[in-house]
Amino acid sequence: MRVTLLIAWREYLENVKTKGFWIGVLLVPIVFFIIFHVSSRLATATPTRYYLLVDQSGQYADSVESAIRREHQRRVMLDFMRYLQENRIESNSIQISNEPANQMDQLIDDFSNDEVAALDDWLSNGGLAFALQMSRPYLRADTPDFEEPRPQFVAAVPPPGLNLNAPPEQIVETLRPFLNGEQRLQAGDNQVSLFALILIPADVGSDIVRPAPVPTGMTDDTSPRGVQYWAGNLTDTRLSSAIQTSINNAIRQQEYTELNIDVDAVRDVQRTRLPVSRLDPGKVAGDEQVSLADTFRQWAPMGFVYLIFISLMQSVQYLLSNTIEEKSNRIIEVLLASVTPGELMMGKLLGIGATGITTIVAWLGSFFVFIRLYQTVETAMIVQILDVLLSSDLIPYFVFYYVCCYALYAGIFLAIGSLCNTLKEAQSLMMPLMMVLVVPILTMSFIAQDPNGTMARVMSWIPLFTPFTMMNRAAAQPPMFDVVGTTILLVVSTIAVLWLSGRVFRQGILRTGQPPRILELWRMLRKRTN
Amino acid sequence: MSSSVLSLTNVTKRYGEFTAVNRINLNIPKGSVYGFLGPNGAGKTTTIRMILDIIRPDEGEIEVLGCTSAMQVRSRIGYLPEEKGLYKKMKVWSIISYFATLKGMHRKEAKLRAFELLEQYGLKDFANATVDSLSKGMGQKVQVLSSIAHRPELVILDEPFSGLDPVNQEVLEQLIRDLKNNGQTVIFSTHIMQHAERLCERLLLITQGNKVFDGTVDEARAIIPRRVILECQNDLSALADLEGVLSVCELPVGSEGRIEGTRQWELYVKEQTNPQQILQHCFHNSISLSRFDFTQTSLHDVFVHLVGQEAREHNFR
């Protein structure tokens, strides 16, 4: 035992002392921070897009422009809400975890409706100026001024010489160099590029699609129909969807009027809703309301599966490279004159296992430091999510499955390492195992959605997948039979794998030359060494 | 009477059809310096690995320091393998101390011992350097030190001199003598006969897994007759009748350093023969010698004599 610990300690120090280890440890929180920071700033950093609206029908220009204005006002409102939450006097009053998830639903529901009540209120109350005035007494003394976001979509001035009444094809041909970025438009003193052209032909009314009892079938005509949206950028769909929504709203308004339907009544009907209470039968009576925290708890196992996977990947690298270093350097022979192969293998497993745990602890530590130093609305939410997780029963599951998963795979990888003289040789032997390891990651989200489904249950009984799959299912109260059965199977197979790996390790570690063929490996597994 | 620290009885190791070590018997007395000699692939390293219980013999018995397995007494044995290697990122002192602690030494004591050895053998300035900054020879010295740091009773060094410059070979020879003076038993394998000649009391010579010689250095020298080279203008074949002379033959023309018009003769004489007798005989018979060359038989000659043919065949196989 003493030598096992000595070996483990040396392995641990060897890995922990390397620069690569600390780069790996620090890189994850740094990348996390950057992604977090950038994504929350990205919305405001999007450049201003210039568009050109040519409405030959004369019916929709106002709707589109008002939709774009509303879109801007919506952003102003959202930014202001954020500003208000960050700077209000008692900043800890954002209660998320125990609020029924329905409040979130209400908000999402409202936003997805075409008429956003909050935005209407905001606009009818006088917008930003009024909100600023109202909120001033509730803000902290050191609050910075609110910066209104720049409009994202600005109407461009048509280039001189463009005949707005020309046939659509001609307009497109004239503007094509601008859309392709070959020419630039004049906007004030600046040259700007044209982001999109919205062309509404005069005869657009004939393209309106109405539900018909019999499908009209495909036409041979491939020319564009309806409103034409020309843009080189296909990924930023905000403008195109705003236009589509606004024009369709305008058309529907027209239809209502033509059919003598009361528009206000329709609007009210559209905003009518019946709340759906999401309840969990597994919780105590009176507390069955599914909170946001519960939802997080359901999804959290996926995070743990990822954590196991990443940590395992890191440990495997260390196991292989250290074993192969000892083998190719022939240090192994000196070691074997001092310790038994079993002690050596256990020392390695322990030392590198401790390295993996150090990584996880360092990640969590830096994560906590990060959310302490960088307090925003989002991080306040993360703190609450973390509190939920740490107090949940998922942690013991995580610890158990982490340890088993590590021992199971590390045993196999150590055996592989003992058979190879170079990393290159090891990589070809590792390949099948890597394919196996990818499976739980690929199926992770399916299993989270259907944690007690057939696929999840079958995979739980395959020992190589058990730690991942059962971790994935942990929050969904899998049947006791599955939990106990797979645990026994997992522990037994882990012990068996370690025992067999020990055999291969003992024989492989002094081998030179090519890695063995399958038949030779089979002989190694069967051969008694003592 | 010194007791035995290591004994091998009919030890055999086979790898499939190939017999690496064939029925080797050996007895190594305590406190001796013992040389394992043999050509490449003779089975030296396999024998050493079996002694250390890194691999098991297929047949035969091994007794090390009174136990049947070296693992039981591993803390009393020090081992330097043939292919040297160290952890590249470790510091010199810590690697010596690490191997000493693996052998049961206390951590603090091991550290002190590491510094003591480094100072004693001229590596003090490199104590805090990492192994990858050392030259190959220095790395090898560090590895030798790490194999003896825990003061083992039995030290086994596989090819300790390979790769060392002449100065460091001297240092290593001194180290082996120091070990002997401390009463420690040293076994080392080598190709370089001069080291064995200078250091060993006893030798084991193996080739193709078979023991061909086991005994003292003098006994080894006695295996091949001593050689005398004579150079003159006369026919010396009559010297064959002289007492103690085993054979006389004329060396072919073209030998190096021969004076124009002379003939060169090679005589093999018995171990006890005094070469002065040959000189006197020539003098009495008015044979004018231009060269009289009598050299002590070297281990090198013994080695070549015993295994030369087999080693050559082995190399060209």
Side-chain angles (χ1 to χ4, degrees):
Chain A
M1 193 60 200
R2 182 182 163 275
V3 277
T4 305
L5 289 178
L6 274 172
I7 292 167
W9 180 240
R10 199 208 70 82
E11 289 281 341
Y12 178 73
L13 283 186
E14 167 132 343
N15 295 328
V16 168
K17 274 182 177 174
T18 56
K19 284 188 205 85
F21 175 80
W22 288 105
I23 290 172
V25 163
L26 294 176
L27 208 58
V28 170
I30 289 171
V31 166
F32 179 82
F33 175 81
I34 290 171
I35 290 172
F36 192 80
H37 197 78
V38 166
S39 67
S40 64
R41 291 281 172 271
L42 209 59
T44 53
T46 317
T48 307
R49 314 280 206 194
Y50 288 89
Y51 68 91
L52 199 57
L53 176 64
V54 181
D55 181 11
Q56 294 180 329
S57 74
Q59 291 177 48
Y60 303 107
D62 290 345
S63 307
V64 171
E65 273 164 16
S66 95
I68 291 168
R69 267 200 311 278
R70 277 180 70 93
E71 170 65 22
H72 176 60
Q73 281 301 317
R74 198 178 68 88
R75 283 191 59 221
V76 174
M77 185 180 78
L78 287 176
D79 273 22
F80 185 75
M81 293 296 176
R82 234 180 100 89
Y83 168 79
L84 204 60
Q85 283 177 328
E86 276 174 22
N87 294 302
R88 62 200 290 173
I89 288 165
E90 65 281 47
S91 63
N92 269 342
S93 59
I94 320 139
Q95 286 297 326
I96 300 161
S97 61
N98 295 318
E99 292 283 308
N102 275 330
Q103 289 197 355
M104 191 73 140
D105 290 348
Q106 173 93 57
L107 213 62
I108 294 163
D109 219 23
D110 274 351
F111 273 119
S112 59
N113 277 322
D114 52 20
E115 293 291 327
V116 182
L119 191 55
D120 280 345
D121 289 347
W122 167 269
L123 290 173
S124 63
N125 283 335
L128 180 64
F130 175 75
L132 273 172
Q133 199 187 341
M134 284 295 293
S135 61
R136 194 144 294 141
Y138 304 103
L139 296 174
R140 288 195 307 267
D142 58 345
T143 308
D145 286 340
F146 177 71
E147 277 179 47
E148 189 182 333
R150 280 179 299 150
Q152 281 182 300
F153 297 103
V154 175
V157 182
L162 177 69
N163 179 7
L164 295 176
N165 294 315
E169 296 80 20
Q170 198 183 326
I171 294 178
V172 171
E173 277 317 307
T174 315
L175 289 176
R176 201 183 285 275
F178 293 93
L179 286 164
N180 287 339
E182 290 160 12
Q183 287 187 40
R184 292 164 83 83
L185 285 174
Q186 193 70 33
D189 296 336
N190 298 328
Q191 296 271 317
V192 296
S193 57
L194 181 62
F195 177 72
L197 162 69
I198 302 120
L199 184 58
I200 308 174
D203 58 348
V204 75
S206 61
D207 286 338
I208 294 173
V209 183
R210 290 188 176 79
V214 181
T216 49
M218 296 291 284
T219 56
D220 292 337
D221 185 10
T222 53
S223 62
R225 298 173 66 213
V227 178
Q228 298 178 22
Y229 176 86
W230 293 83
N233 182 328
L234 302 175
T235 47
D236 190 348
T237 58
R238 287 170 306 165
L239 183 62
S240 61
S241 46
I243 289 162
Q244 189 167 7
T245 317
S246 62
I247 290 179
N248 281 324
N249 279 339
I251 290 169
R252 284 173 200 157
Q253 297 273 352
Q254 276 177 22
E255 298 278 296
Y256 292 139
T257 321
E258 279 170 25
L259 297 167
N260 285 327
I261 296 169
D262 182 356
V263 177
D264 290 334
V266 171
R267 183 178 299 179
D268 287 345
V269 169
Q270 277 181 342
R271 291 199 59 207
T272 311
R273 59 195 294 278
L274 181 66
V276 176
S277 295
R278 290 165 63 197
L279 301 165
D280 187 346
K283 295 177 81 177
V284 241
D287 192 25
E288 295 116 325
Q289 281 268 336
V290 175
S291 67
L292 202 57
D294 292 327
T295 317
F296 279 124
R297 200 175 293 138
Q298 293 283 327
W299 287 96
M302 276 177 65
F304 285 120
V305 173
Y306 256 126
L307 208 54
I308 294 178
F309 180 76
I310 293 172
S311 178
L312 184 67
M313 284 293 114
Q314 188 205 26
S315 304
V316 158
Q317 292 301 325
Y318 285 133
L319 278 174
L320 277 182
S321 56
N322 288 18
T323 310
I324 290 170
E325 188 202 353
E326 281 170 1
K327 243 196 109 169
S328 58
N329 272 352
R330 311 303 301 166
I331 306 168
I332 205 76
E333 221 175 310
V334 191
L335 286 174
L336 289 184
S338 311
V339 302
T340 63
E343 286 169 336
L344 182 62
M345 189 169 138
M346 283 317 289
K348 283 186 166 302
L349 280 178
L350 281 179
I352 288 165
T355 313
I357 290 169
T358 308
T359 312
I360 292 183
V361 169
W363 281 343
L364 291 180
S366 51
F367 189 68
F368 272 108
V369 169
F370 161 67
I371 54 182
R372 285 269 168 275
L373 293 179
Y374 187 77
Q375 286 187 339
T376 62
V377 183
E378 288 88 350
T379 50
M381 200 162 93
I382 293 170
V383 172
Q384 290 181 346
I385 295 168
L386 274 181
D387 286 344
V388 171
L389 289 184
L390 291 178
S391 60
S392 72
D393 52 359
L394 292 175
I395 300 296
Y397 275 101
F398 171 69
V399 172
F400 174 75
Y401 288 122
Y402 179 81
V403 170
C404 282
C405 184
Y406 171 72
L408 184 69
Y409 280 94
I412 301 175
F413 278 107
L414 262 185
I416 290 177
S418 73
L419 295 175
C420 303
N421 291 309
T422 60
L423 268 182
K424 206 173 162 187
E425 283 172 7
Q427 269 156 0
S428 58
L429 278 176
M430 267 165 68
M431 207 44 206
L433 208 55
M434 284 296 175
M435 305 292 260
V436 169
L437 265 170
V438 169
V439 174
I441 300 302
L442 287 180
T443 53
M444 188 162 67
S445 56
F446 301 114
I447 290 172
Q449 279 167 21
D450 190 11
N452 291 321
T454 314
M455 185 171 76
R457 295 196 68 173
V458 170
M459 278 180 64
S460 301
W461 287 91
I462 301 169
L464 283 176
F465 298 146
T466 308
F468 297 104
T469 315
M470 287 306 286
M471 184 70 241
N472 214 345
R473 298 170 66 191
Q477 277 102 31
M480 194 45 84
F481 176 70
D482 282 16
V483 175
V484 175
T486 58
T487 301
I488 292 170
L489 188 64
L490 177 63
V491 171
V492 169
S493 37
T494 303
I495 292 169
V497 162
L498 284 181
W499 183 67
L500 289 174
S501 299
R503 283 192 161 187
V504 175
F505 190 82
R506 269 196 287 275
Q507 296 170 67
I509 202 77
L510 278 176
R511 259 182 81 92
T512 49
Q514 290 292 308
R517 293 165 195 279
I518 301 276
L519 199 68
E520 212 178 331
L521 196 64
W522 175 243
R523 258 186 243 126
M524 279 187 167
L525 290 171
R526 290 172 45 132
K527 190 175 174 185
R528 286 181 189 282
T529 45
N530 291 318
Chain B
M1 177 68 197
S2 58
S3 58
S4 160
V5 286
L6 174 70
S7 71
L8 274 68
T9 316
N10 289 329
V11 170
T12 302
K13 179 74 190 174
R14 293 184 201 92
Y15 291 109
E17 296 288 300
F18 176 67
T19 305
V21 172
N22 188 24
R23 302 178 68 82
I24 294 254
N25 289 289
L26 191 63
N27 210 349
I28 296 182
K30 190 173 188 292
S32 58
V33 176
Y34 208 100
F36 275 23
L37 311 181
N40 297 332
K44 299 186 297 279
T45 298
T46 307
T47 309
I48 288 174
R49 284 182 178 176
M50 284 192 289
I51 293 171
L52 289 159
D53 202 21
I54 293 173
I55 50 176
R56 298 276 161 88
D58 294 320
E59 284 166 31
E61 304 285 325
I62 296 176
E63 195 185 295
V64 189
L65 296 169
C67 292
T68 50
S69 163
M71 282 322 265
Q72 293 166 303
V73 284
R74 60 194 180 192
S75 61
R76 294 159 64 192
I77 302 175
Y79 173 48
L80 174 82
E82 180 185 8
E83 287 174 84
K84 280 80 182 173
L86 294 165
Y87 294 109
K88 291 197 175 81
K89 298 288 169 202
M90 277 179 96
K91 286 184 178 172
V92 167
W93 75 262
S94 75
I95 205 156
I96 296 175
S97 132
Y98 173 64
F99 282 117
T101 50
L102 279 185
K103 294 287 195 177
M105 209 178 219
H106 194 270
R107 197 182 290 249
K108 276 185 187 165
E109 193 194 347
K111 187 176 175 179
L112 284 176
R113 173 78 174 143
F115 278 98
E116 177 195 319
L117 282 173
L118 287 170
E119 186 164 1
Q120 194 176 347
Y121 294 102
L123 285 170
K124 191 184 159 196
D125 295 341
F126 297 95
N128 280 306
T130 52
V131 169
D132 56 1
S133 68
L134 299 182
S135 69
K136 186 172 174 269
M138 274 199 281
Q140 193 167 328
K141 261 168 86 179
V142 170
Q143 198 168 353
V144 173
L145 296 184
S146 66
S147 66
I148 60 155
H150 59 293
R151 299 188 182 90
E153 292 167 46
L154 173 62
V155 181
I156 300 174
L157 310 170
D158 200 353
E159 299 285 355
F161 293 99
S162 68
L164 288 182
D165 63 40
V167 176
N168 279 310
Q169 288 184 8
E170 290 265 326
V171 174
L172 187 54
E173 279 191 25
Q174 187 53 48
L175 183 140
I176 292 173
R177 282 190 206 101
D178 291 346
L179 293 172
K180 181 184 158 55
N181 294 340
N182 289 340
Q184 291 161 284
T185 310
V186 182
I187 299 172
F188 73 91
S189 75
T190 185
H191 284 110
I192 308 167
M193 296 303 136
Q194 287 88 333
H195 296 302
E197 222 157 17
R198 283 200 289 269
L199 293 167
C200 296
E201 287 151 13
R202 291 180 71 85
L203 301 169
L204 170 76
L205 184 57
I206 49 178
T207 178
Q208 294 186 351
N210 294 297
K211 179 166 93 174
V212 287
F213 176 78
D214 179 14
T216 63
V217 175
D218 287 339
E219 283 165 2
R221 286 201 184 109
I223 287 177
I224 52 171
R226 294 201 276 181
R227 195 171 76 146
V228 181
I229 304 277
L230 299 177
E231 207 172 275
C232 60
Q233 287 174 330
N234 309 57
D235 185 342
L236 296 181
S237 47
L239 286 176
D241 301 331
L242 210 65
E243 200 190 326
V245 175
L246 295 169
S247 70
V248 178
C249 71
E250 188 179 357
L251 290 174
V253 180
S255 299
E256 282 174 26
R258 184 186 294 196
I259 296 166
E260 196 68 34
T262 57
R263 300 166 78 180
Q264 214 171 55
W265 299 87
E266 182 186 59
L267 280 72
Y268 280 104
V269 297
K270 284 183 182 162
E271 176 75 8
Q272 304 82 10
T273 309
N274 185 356
Q276 289 297 326
Q277 286 177 355
I278 300 168
L279 207 55
Q280 274 173 7
H281 179 85
C282 291
F283 184 70
H284 288 306
N285 291 289
S286 306
I287 297 168
S288 149
L289 293 175
S290 56
R291 179 178 171 194
F292 178 84
D293 192 346
F294 169 70
T295 43
Q296 181 82 12
T297 313
S298 68
L299 269 187
H300 181 90
D301 298 328
V302 180
F303 183 86
V304 172
H305 174 80
L306 287 175
V307 304
Q309 191 56 35
E310 284 169 356
R312 263 194 294 278
E313 280 172 6
H314 181 81
N315 284 342
F316 287 105
R317 213 164 40 174

